[in-house]
Amino acid sequence: MGENTRRIYFDHNATTYMRQEVIDAMQPFLRDRFGNASSLHFFGQENRDAVDDARADIARILGAEPEEIILTSGGTESDNLAIRGVVMARRKAPGRCHIITSVIEHPAVLKTCEALEDEGCDVTYVPSDGEGLVRVDILEESIRPETVLVSVMLANNETGVIQPIGRISELTRKKEIILHTDAVQGVGKIGVNVDDLGVDLLSISAHKFYGPKGLGALYVRRGTDLEPVYTGGSHERGLRPGTENIPGIIGFGKACRIAKESLPKEIKYIGELRERLERGILERIEDVIFIGTGAPRVPNTCSIVIPRIEGEAVTLNLSMLGFAVSSGSACSSGKSEASHVLTAIGLDPADAQGGVRISLGIENTSLEVDAFIEAFAVVVERLRKLSPLNG
Ligand SMILES: *Cc1c(COP(=O)(O)O)cnc(C)c1O
């Protein structure tokens, strides 16, 4: 295999391809089964049934009830609906608008909170410790009588570190504060159960676990105060109006069904691949920092920092050799800024530029991992020779 024809994908936290079964399940709905699920005739009613079945599959992977699932256009919209929806429902009481979130959140949460600051809410951004774990002690101290919402992600997209949501829920429950978690990087990678986590709202996105892009859901625990962001028809219990993306919903349901069935074996397989990867990097490359290895992590994510080398240069060089990895988060690449997550963990901003994220998927193999380790070592060595910082 020539180097220029090799295409190996290690960026599954950015997005995944669809499983073949997902594509097959969607196919009929792209043409013959095109009806609007709100229509009373058979074109509509048979699609209503199909959407209900998919909703049940989505609920099941979270340990939720189908009525608690609001379908959206993805993780970003689910995060927006959760945060803005709670603020709109609860700020009716004058002065009651304080949100607690963390510095390591995805931009879908961070930028929404920043926008709400401009609209008159107070927001506390809780720091992270050196392993990438949100400081629950500081979160607890930040709670005020006017706190309406705590939003902390389940698994970080850059580091894979799993946050102590269960412990946070013990705090929010006592004070009747609504708890939201962005579980986009959790579902399909670890078991997720809304009752074990103790959350009221939880965001997921289909394209992060072998489902279609542009589909997501917000889990809304029964009785949670929430108002819609969009106004329109009565779809999704009035919380998210608009004619359903039926092929997408069918694919989303299928992706959930398969993920639930195959999770234990995929966790084991991917976990072993990552072990091989991290061991190989440790043996072949000197002076690399592994992020979050002292904390619980989702099994597919490896986050490393190579001091004094730009992560973007590593990523571009690896791309030329046929390997797709990420420097920092996909959403912030393009700008040559240090990752906000790596900086929050306490890395020197110059070192935080050297972040590389390798996120494995179910079809990656040990041969691919071995080839990657070799290419990675070559690229790092080449860049270290070139770097003026190593002079
Ligand atoms: C990808 C991602 C999102 C955004 O989801 P989309 O479906 O792409 O809008 C939100 N949060 C996290 C943690 C993510 O990784």
Side-chain angles (χ1 to χ4, degrees), residues 17-57:
Y17 44 85
M18 289 191 274
R19 295 188 203 251
Q20 187 59 47
E21 299 98 307
V22 169
I23 298 169
D24 293 345
M26 291 169 71
Q27 202 76 49
F29 295 87
L30 293 171
R31 189 192 149 93
D32 298 334
R33 297 189 59 180
F34 61 86
N36 184 324
S38 301
S39 301
L40 290 179
H41 50 66
F42 49 87
F43 280 103
Q45 288 313 298
E46 63 190 18
N47 279 2
R48 169 58 53 209
D49 293 344
V51 167
D52 287 346
D53 289 346
R55 192 188 305 280
D57 283 328

Side-chain angles (χ1 to χ4, degrees), residues 74-76 79 106 153 157 182 184-185 205 207-208:
T76 301
D79 288 343
H106 188 274
M153 71 203 320
N157 43 303
D182 175 335
V184 170
Q185 293 291 350
S205 175
H207 77 96
K208 300 292 176 84

